[in-house]
Amino acid sequence: MGSQAQTWTKLLERCLQDRIPAAQFEAFAKILDRTPISRAELARIVLEPRPGLKTFVDPLLPQYVEALVRIDLVGPDDLLDVLLRHSRLRQLDPHPGDDDAERTARNSTSPAPPSPPRRGSNPVPLDHAVLVAMAHLFHSGQRPRSPREVYMVLKAMAAWMSTVVAAGTTDDMMQSVTGHASHTSSESQAIVEAVGMFMYAIADNPRVLSVLGGQFPKDIKSTLTHALSLFIPVVFHSSPPIATRLEAFQRTNDLVPGRATKDDDKLMEDVDGNALGLDGLGGLGAVETAVIHSRAGLYIFLHSLLAGRPIIDDNMVLTHLTARYKGDISNLTTDLIVAAFDVLSNATFRNESQQTRFLLRAFLINKIPVLLTTLSLSMFPPLTPEFCIGQAMTHVDTQAFPTLSAMFDAPNDGGGAGGGSGSGFFSDVRQEFLFACCLHGLIPETSIETLLGEMPMQELPPGGKYTRELLVSQCASDPGRIEPLLGEVEGMDGNAGAVVEAIVEASVLLASLSPRCPNIQKQIIRNMCAAKGTIALKTICMTLAARPSSLDVMLCFASPAAILQPICELLDTWQYEEDQGEYQPVYEEFGCILLVVLAFVHRYDLTALDLGLADGTSFVAQLLRPADTTQRVDELSEDHSTQLAGWLRGLFEPDSGITDELMAACRPQVYYMLVPVLLSQSVLACHAGVISVETLKGGLEYMLETFLLPSLISALSWLSHHLWEEHGDIDVVMQILQIIVKPSSISGEAAVVHAVVLSLVGKQLECALRDLRRRKPDRSDVDVVLQHLQPHATLKRTTASHHSELESWTSHSPGGLLSSLRNTFQSLVLWSTAPDINMTPANYTHRHLLVAVRLLGARAVIQTILDEMKMQAQSDSGDLDLDIATSLVVAPTVDDVPIVFEPCLPATTGRVHGQTTAPPPPPPPSSSSHQQRTLYRPKTRLSLRDALRLEHDDVAPKISTADPPRAENIMRLYRRVEAHFAGVVEANAAADVSAHALAGVPGGLAGVPGSLAGVAGDLDVSSVPTAADMIQGLEVAAATATAVAAAAAAGIDVDVDMNMNMDDVLMLGQAATAISGTDTRM
């Protein structure tokens, strides 16, 4: 290796080891430009395989690559050639030595058996990251810089596409032999997407198209034509929009095999009068027009997020917005604010419930500024958040959201959070929103009066802007801070997000640090709450369970799994301490903590999977099983049968009672699982005359005590299911319900828990009682119980519709539910035709669409949407109908939101049966990448996107002649929907690769102490006269980082001293090598 190559190699290795930022590496590279080296050699140095990183990639390396291309020290074609030479996909190419023409010709026939894998390949994430980085350079117009670069890049990409096809063919062959997909199959798929993105960027690059339109080398054109024709069918399976765009690129640039000129294409189109092009990969005949962003587009999207359980995943929301607006941050920000106001205004005109209007108001004031803060990071002068907010405020309907001064001209018919249904409820919404934006630094306080149009009547919060870290620290030092903090969840000042995050963090800490759970994971506030963790957690859970609106706000900032999975882990592993004195407080704490889990579950119809409980054997997962799966007495184990007998005696034998001995012998988890069986045996015994009604009443009064009250949720759920069937014991069941629903006496604290219990099961019990009244209209006691249940039957917040709402849709004549859906579509189009006029929003609820899909099926709904698009084409609505139809199809549901959670680790430090266990050694750094799990709900029905795909694949080709307008609408809608999802994938791709790569970097590199990482940061670029001086200045720090990494991998605990000399470093490296066998030499 020459001296120049050695110098560049040392620079790259030292910068990687010392975590030098890309910008500083770029400055170093400019200095080394005095040391001449060929582009190909530099590409080889940067991208040659590195030992020890066979699976993961250093996230800095792609950044360095992009920096070198940006300053033109290396060309994209050189990088692509070297990258392909060391790609793992080459191991799957049965003829790696063939040229591109031979390879592409051979790919059209049957493949040969794969050759044995060769050494020296790069990890797939590196291939993906470099390809995406090059795609960004071409998409942004920074590249190419010459016609020759175009030729060489297209030649390199032809080789990449041929290799991808060869690797995919080998994958298919191996899968047919083994019967299952290989790991390399997923790797090949990742590269397919990256190559597709790069080719997409090339197809949209004006300089490339200009070169292709002139003289072009025939050999390169021939190779590209063959490779592209083979690659398009492969990429179609993962990204139809990319395939469609590449097919257009292929046709418009004479890259179709067997076609010589563009005139031939024109002649064939003239001959084919239909020219819809519905065959192949989606066709090209349907005319594509400019994308129009209707006012109803984001209106529908926000409705879908808030129609039932809030499904506001920040990443999902931002990727949807990015895919829709394609980088138009100004209009994106303005439209998002206006849509949030429109949704809130619509809720008032529809007379939605108080809780719904409160949620929408909290979303506008507390969540929208958070999203705007993220979006503002992409704004550059002269565009500012203040300008976008000002533009949005001019489109807000001042009749729906009047100023405070205007309210003096009319009586105030509501007010406060969740107040009345008139404009008084919204009299201060604009002011609250502007102050929340000011709190987050989006606008200065001096601008509020200008934007509002009058003097504001409120101020910023006295405590300023909260941060999660600050609030958690306050709760750690002062547990009394938790309770007042709970009251701020429903605040309308912009701080709710930080409050929710702090409460979730505090709950996780308290749950994991509880002495009743052996899985203690965190050490931050262990000394403060290790003895009383469950007491503080009980306060949080009880307060939240009694405030349904607080649950709604929490889900705007955290997922159910993030909130509840640690609590479920605590409940699963709950145990008594060896020195346990009283057991009644233990049952009370357990019940109150369980209550908040059940409050979330019953309010939003959550499943065990939604809580992050992938294992169905956990206590909470078993408790959530339907009532008809309750165990029978003859199915109980001997221990559980003994415990059941003890509870029956304790409840119904006068001389027994609920004693500490009974509760000590039966853990709370077992008791809650036995409650349905306990109640069924009580009903059976009373019906058979074994116990009297008075005895039954006395026993049930025990269950109205605070420490047993939450168990009535399981009891009432079982009774609700029992009422739907005829068992001849209705008299006994109704007497039990009267005792439980309307107790004769109950304590103050128990009354709060009792109200929560009734609210959780009130709806299902109400439905069962209404059915009983229909079957037995002569029973007056049913109406008595229903009357007491009525105030508690409004807890549910799901996408299901009330029977009166459903009747209003289905009674629409003619056409019923689908006809009312068409009317809704028409109103959305009409409202969007005048976006600049402040008019009442279209009457819309996303429940309408979801109910139609649930009752009639997705295909019937998508056909109705297509019918309405055909009707709208006859009016002068432009492409508004296409945008609205697309928004309906791509609107997310709960099935689209990933369930992300962190499974609890094995036991570390904590009290188990009164003993203290020593903490085990920390897990290896690489294990952190396995902590977070992502699950998805199982798909049980066709989505609108699935139905549209069926229309595109099956129906459109058949009707292209009989009904061309409908076929064209199918094509246009299908392309727009797939293009949207392709944009979402593209927005996530780079972030996902970077995150995975970062997670895979060995802890000794990514986790180097800041003092070491800062060594390079202290270097002054201007003070580095030569490359030799620069390398020498990094030597000790780099060696130290390497040695520390090896020591950590070997389990050696090292206190890094910045005064360590090279001898100390080498000694440390030798020790690590002796233990782990890893060579730490430079």
Side-chain angles (χ1 to χ4, degrees):
M1 182 184 296
S3 59
Q4 296 91 347
Q6 290 179 352
T7 302
W8 276 100
T9 302
K10 284 187 177 182
L11 170 67
L12 183 65
E13 295 300 331
R14 298 294 84 76
C15 288
L16 287 174
Q17 291 174 3
D18 282 347
R19 320 311 298 151
I20 301 300
Q24 196 166 356
F25 172 79
E26 183 176 330
F28 292 161
K30 290 179 179 178
I31 296 174
L32 275 191
D33 192 19
R34 309 176 210 167
T35 306
I37 188 172
S38 68
R39 290 171 173 251
E41 180 68 9
L42 182 55
R44 182 196 62 77
I45 292 173
V46 174
L47 293 178
E48 65 181 355
R50 284 170 170 74
L53 291 178
K54 297 181 179 180
T55 305
F56 303 105
V57 57
D58 192 320
L60 282 177
L61 189 56
Q63 299 179 34
Y64 291 175
V65 169
E66 189 171 356
L68 291 174
V69 177
R70 190 165 47 246
I71 60 179
D72 205 27
L73 289 183
V74 68
D77 52 313
D78 301 307
L79 292 170
L80 291 171
D81 289 338
V82 175
L83 195 68
L84 181 59
R85 189 180 312 143
H86 297 297
S87 174
R88 190 167 298 176
L89 294 188
R90 295 278 288 194
Q91 298 178 3
L92 300 177
D93 189 345
H95 300 279
D98 293 347
D99 60 26
D100 300 330
E102 292 174 341
R103 183 185 297 108
T104 52
R106 182 175 288 105
N107 285 337
S108 61
T109 62
S110 58
S115 60
R118 298 184 299 277
R119 297 180 180 178
S121 61
N122 279 322
V124 170
L126 178 61
D127 296 349
H128 192 291
V130 173
L131 287 168
V132 170
M134 296 301 100
H136 172 72
L137 292 174
F138 273 71
H139 179 72
S140 61
Q142 300 180 53
R143 288 286 182 168
R145 296 189 177 181
S146 67
R148 182 186 180 280
E149 185 172 308
V150 175
Y151 304 152
M152 294 298 99
V153 167
L154 289 177
K155 181 179 180 180
M157 289 309 297
W160 267 101
M161 289 187 286
S162 299
T163 302
V164 165
V165 173
T169 305
T170 305
D171 281 340
D172 294 340
M173 182 180 70
M174 295 304 296
Q175 184 173 350
S176 65
V177 173
T178 61
H180 57 81
S182 63
H183 174 64
T184 54
S185 178
S186 61
E187 293 180 340
S188 302
Q189 187 64 25
I191 298 301
V192 167
E193 295 178 357
V195 172
M197 290 172 61
F198 195 175
M199 288 303 300
Y200 194 107
I202 289 174
D204 281 345
N205 190 289
R207 297 178 187 173
V208 174
L209 298 178
S210 175
V211 172
L212 284 174
Q215 296 296 325
F216 199 82
K218 290 184 178 180
D219 57 337
I220 298 179
K221 185 172 184 178
S222 176
T223 303
L224 180 63
T225 298
H226 282 286
L228 198 57
S229 63
L230 293 174
F231 178 72
I232 289 176
V234 175
V235 76
F236 178 75
H237 293 289
S238 60
S239 181
I242 291 180
T244 302
R245 180 65 187 90
L246 293 184
E247 189 184 31
F249 173 72
Q250 184 184 39
R251 294 190 180 188
T252 56
N253 292 281
D254 298 329
L255 299 175
V256 178
R259 292 172 59 173
T261 64
K262 298 180 181 179
D263 294 336
D264 294 337
D265 293 344
K266 180 67 171 62
L267 177 62
M268 292 304 296
E269 289 182 4
D270 292 339
V271 172
D272 183 7
N274 185 13
L276 275 174
L278 294 170
D279 56 332
L281 293 174
L284 298 166
V287 178
E288 292 292 347
T289 56
V291 176
I292 296 178
H293 297 144
S294 66
R295 186 167 183 173
L298 280 190
Y299 182 68
I300 293 170
F301 175 66
L302 295 187
H303 267 290
S304 68
L305 299 180
L306 301 163
R309 182 239 295 187
I311 50 174
I312 307 171
D313 177 78
D314 283 9
N315 181 64
M316 180 194 69
V317 172
L318 293 173
T319 53
H320 174 95
L321 296 174
T322 302
R324 177 176 172 82
Y325 284 88
K326 307 295 184 185
D328 186 359
I329 299 297
S330 177
N331 285 329
L332 187 162
T333 305
T334 302
D335 291 353
L336 178 63
I337 298 171
V338 173
F341 275 97
D342 287 339
V343 170
L344 181 55
S345 175
N346 175 66
T348 299
F349 293 120
R350 284 183 48 82
N351 198 26
E352 294 281 4
S353 68
Q354 173 181 329
Q355 290 184 0
T356 295
R357 287 182 284 115
F358 174 81
L359 168 62
L360 300 179
R361 182 175 185 174
F363 173 78
L364 170 64
I365 296 170
N366 290 308
K367 186 64 179 182
I368 292 295
V370 175
L371 297 175
L372 296 183
T373 301
T374 303
L375 293 174
S376 67
L377 300 177
S378 301
M379 295 182 184
F380 302 98
L383 182 64
T384 63
E386 182 179 359
F387 172 79
C388 297
I389 293 171
Q391 290 293 306
M393 298 305 289
T394 63
H395 291 84
V396 174
D397 187 1
T398 54
Q399 293 184 353
F401 301 96
T403 61
L404 287 175
S405 59
M407 293 306 300
F408 290 106
D409 300 331
N412 191 340
D413 53 354
S421 60
S423 60
F425 175 65
F426 296 140
S427 60
D428 50 357
V429 168
R430 292 199 304 155
Q431 182 174 229
E432 290 172 341
F433 171 73
L434 291 175
F435 271 99
C437 291
C438 178
L439 184 72
H440 287 267
L442 298 170
I443 58 175
E445 189 173 2
T446 54
S447 300
I448 295 179
E449 182 176 353
T450 303
L451 295 173
L452 192 61
E454 66 177 10
M455 181 74 70
M457 303 298 291
Q458 70 178 64
E459 298 177 346
L460 290 170
K465 181 184 177 182
Y466 289 163
T467 63
R468 177 180 59 85
E469 295 78 11
L470 172 64
L471 296 179
V472 171
S473 175
Q474 292 176 355
C475 293
S477 59
D478 180 15
R481 179 75 173 97
I482 295 177
E483 191 163 359
L485 197 63
L486 293 169
E488 298 187 47
V489 172
E490 300 181 17
M492 295 293 175
D493 56 8
N495 270 326
V499 173
V500 169
E501 291 174 353
I503 290 175
V504 172
E505 179 72 11
S507 300
V508 171
L509 291 173
L510 292 171
S512 60
L513 298 175
S514 169
R516 308 200 183 282
C517 174
N519 294 348
I520 299 176
Q521 305 171 50
K522 312 222 181 212
Q523 303 296 321
I524 299 177
I525 56 173
R526 178 172 60 87
N527 294 332
M528 184 270 292
C529 65
K532 298 183 179 180
T534 50
I535 297 177
L537 187 59
K538 169 193 168 184
T539 301
I540 295 177
C541 294
M542 192 61 240
T543 303
L544 292 176
R547 296 176 179 175
S549 293
S550 293
L551 306 186
D552 295 341
V553 176
M554 292 188 72
L555 290 187
C556 289
F557 300 94
S559 68
I563 299 170
L564 300 176
Q565 196 273 339
I567 298 177
C568 292
E569 174 70 11
L570 169 64
L571 295 172
D572 287 342
T573 58
W574 188 286
Q575 60 187 21
Y576 295 135
E577 297 180 72
E578 190 172 290
D579 57 350
Q580 190 72 54
E582 297 182 89
Y583 291 87
Q584 182 172 316
V586 177
Y587 264 69
E588 183 174 337
E589 291 173 10
F590 182 92
C592 290
I593 294 173
L594 176 62
L595 197 62
V596 76
V597 177
L598 297 179
F600 274 99
V601 168
H602 284 267
R603 180 165 176 80
Y604 306 111
D605 278 348
L606 302 180
T607 64
L609 192 62
D610 292 321
L611 306 183
L613 305 177
D615 183 5
T617 61
S618 70
F619 157 69
V620 176
Q622 294 182 27
L623 188 67
L624 298 184
R625 290 176 179 173
D628 57 352
T629 62
T630 302
Q631 283 185 307
R632 297 192 302 269
V633 176
D634 55 356
E635 297 175 340
L636 296 178
S637 65
E638 183 177 351
D639 289 341
H640 289 177
S641 296
T642 302
Q643 292 163 341
L644 175 64
W647 279 102
L648 288 171
R649 286 193 299 270
L651 289 173
F652 302 119
E653 287 188 3
D655 299 333
S656 296
I658 309 300
T659 63
D660 282 339
E661 290 76 11
L662 173 63
M663 290 184 283
C666 181
R667 296 171 64 211
Q669 298 96 321
V670 177
Y671 164 73
Y672 276 83
M673 296 301 299
L674 290 175
V675 165
V677 185
L678 178 64
L679 198 64
S680 66
Q681 292 300 300
S682 302
V683 171
L684 182 62
C686 186
H687 180 62
V690 176
I691 60 175
S692 65
V693 174
E694 290 301 320
T695 302
L696 179 65
K697 179 180 179 181
L700 292 177
E701 287 178 349
Y702 271 118
M703 301 183 74
L704 291 171
E705 296 293 333
T706 306
F707 71 101
L708 294 181
L709 246 175
S711 66
L712 288 181
I713 296 173
S714 298
L716 291 173
S717 296
W718 181 86
L719 287 173
S720 300
H721 177 77
H722 190 73
L723 281 172
W724 288 96
E725 304 169 353
E726 290 287 352
H727 297 279
D729 52 10
I730 296 298
D731 292 337
V732 177
V733 172
M734 291 307 302
Q735 290 184 36
I736 293 176
L737 286 176
Q738 291 185 37
I739 296 170
I740 294 177
V741 173
K742 192 175 183 304
S744 56
S745 63
I746 189 171
S747 65
E749 184 179 359
V752 176
V753 181
H754 182 260
V756 175
V757 168
L758 291 184
S759 67
L760 297 185
V761 293
K763 189 63 179 180
Q764 60 177 309
L765 188 56
E766 180 189 40
C767 293
L769 288 172
R770 289 186 184 277
D771 179 74
L772 177 62
R773 185 174 60 181
R774 180 185 58 80
R775 289 184 281 120
K776 299 182 180 297
D778 56 330
R779 295 196 66 100
S780 60
D781 52 354
V782 175
D783 290 324
V784 174
V785 177
L786 280 172
Q787 182 179 357
H788 290 292
L789 277 177
Q790 187 175 3
H792 305 286
T794 59
L795 177 81
K796 286 283 188 182
R797 179 162 188 81
T798 66
T799 55
S801 294
H802 193 267
H803 64 86
S804 60
E805 187 177 51
L806 184 59
E807 289 174 1
S808 68
W809 296 333
T810 56
S811 61
H812 196 279
S813 180
L817 183 57
L818 291 179
S819 179
S820 64
L821 190 61
R822 291 186 65 166
N823 286 346
T824 298
F825 191 97
Q826 295 167 8
S827 66
L828 289 170
V829 173
L830 178 63
W831 175 56
S832 298
T833 55
D836 296 329
I837 301 177
N838 294 332
M839 58 187 299
T840 303
N843 188 343
Y844 180 77
T845 173
H846 204 63
R847 294 190 301 271
H848 194 173
L849 180 70
L850 297 177
V851 167
V853 172
R854 192 176 299 122
L855 295 181
L856 304 176
R859 294 206 72 168
V861 173
I862 203 69
Q863 289 167 2
T864 300
I865 293 174
L866 291 169
D867 290 340
E868 190 55 37
M869 287 180 64
K870 183 178 178 181
M871 294 294 297
Q872 289 294 329
Q874 302 174 6
S875 63
D876 189 20
S877 61
D879 275 350
L880 292 174
D881 59 322
L882 178 60
D883 184 70
I884 292 172
T886 302
S887 300
L888 292 173
V889 175
V890 304
T893 66
V894 291
D895 296 335
D896 302 321
V897 181
I899 303 167
V900 182
F901 63 97
E902 294 185 2
C904 292
L905 299 174
T908 55
T909 305
R911 285 195 294 156
V912 181
H913 299 297
Q915 300 178 357
T916 302
T917 60
S926 60
S927 66
S928 61
S929 61
H930 301 288
Q931 292 308 304
Q932 197 171 76
R933 292 189 60 187
T934 301
L935 303 173
Y936 288 88
R937 278 190 168 197
K939 204 168 185 179
T940 58
R941 59 169 61 91
L942 283 179
S943 66
L944 289 176
R945 184 188 181 190
D946 297 329
L948 179 60
R949 185 180 291 113
L950 291 175
E951 292 288 317
H952 170 266
D953 295 343
D954 300 339
V955 178
K958 299 175 182 177
I959 66 171
S960 59
T961 303
D963 192 355
R966 183 179 180 87
E968 183 175 352
N969 283 334
I970 293 174
M971 293 302 305
R972 293 169 65 222
L973 181 58
Y974 175 77
R975 290 175 181 172
R976 189 66 59 83
V977 168
E978 293 304 318
H980 172 84
F981 284 109
V984 171
V985 172
E986 185 177 350
N988 280 324
D992 288 344
V993 171
S994 177
H996 292 158
L998 183 61
V1001 175
L1005 295 178
V1008 173
S1011 54
L1012 287 178
V1015 170
D1018 294 335
L1019 292 176
D1020 184 3
V1021 176
S1022 62
S1023 66
V1024 184
T1026 66
D1029 293 336
M1030 180 176 63
I1031 298 298
Q1032 184 177 4
L1034 296 173
E1035 191 75 36
V1036 175
T1040 305
T1042 305
V1044 171
I1052 304 175
D1053 189 11
V1054 181
D1055 290 329
V1056 179
D1057 183 0
M1058 291 310 298
N1059 295 320
M1060 293 174 68
N1061 56 34
M1062 184 58 73
D1063 292 336
D1064 297 329
V1065 173
L1066 293 177
M1067 185 178 298
L1068 175 62
Q1070 292 171 0
T1073 302
I1075 294 176
S1076 64
T1078 303
D1079 192 355
T1080 62
R1081 291 174 295 177
M1082 299 301 297

